[in-house]
Amino acid sequence: HGLMLLSVGIYAVWKADELKFSLPVMYEGRYILLMMGLFAVYCGFLYNDFFSIGLTIFESRWTQPAISPETKPGSVVAMQPKFDHENRGGPGPYPFGLDPAWHGAQNELVYLNSMKMKLAVVLGVAQMLV
């Protein structure tokens, strides 16, 4: 749905001179349509990433350490960060959405539910302030 709204917004901005006299209401709201389309696509990506099966768009920022032959199946393995967690100018955390390393983690459900609740509050307050 967001992609259709975005395409209508792009068309309205692209053909603004033609719409000025034929569809004046669409002419006046062309930038609103464009921004609504952009944010609808963005929210669609977020919704897919947090509430569905996420897309692995970027490489994970976590690595799994080498597992020794003595490691038993089902034992807990601590992942090592590949990003600059001390903020010294290296690569940052995962750029968009949820890092795919969380899928299958022992505390995935607890972490995701906590993050969803906090994200809902932040987005709700931001929406009310606009």
Side-chain angles (χ1 to χ4, degrees), residues 79-101:
M79 303 285 277
Q80 302 297 321
K82 283 198 291 189
F83 62 93
D84 182 19
H85 62 280
E86 295 176 354
N87 201 15
R88 295 184 181 174
Y94 198 70
F96 180 81
L98 183 68
D99 195 310

Side-chain angles (χ1 to χ4, degrees), residues 102-125:
W102 279 103
H103 299 298
Q106 186 177 8
N107 60 343
E108 176 186 14
L109 183 64
V110 174
Y111 174 74
L112 284 178
N113 284 342
S114 173
M115 185 179 63
K116 287 177 202 177
M117 287 188 292
K118 292 172 186 170
L119 184 64
V121 169
V122 168
L123 290 175
V125 170

Side-chain angles (χ1 to χ4, degrees), residues 15-45:
K15 302 286 186 175
D17 293 334
E18 296 175 16
L19 295 175
K20 193 172 198 176
F21 300 108
S22 61
L23 293 168
V25 175
M26 191 169 179
Y27 173 77
E28 292 172 1
R30 65 190 185 276
Y31 293 115
I32 293 174
L33 287 171
L34 179 66
M35 294 305 291
M36 284 172 50
L38 284 172
F39 287 117
V41 169
Y42 174 72
C43 287
F45 272 119

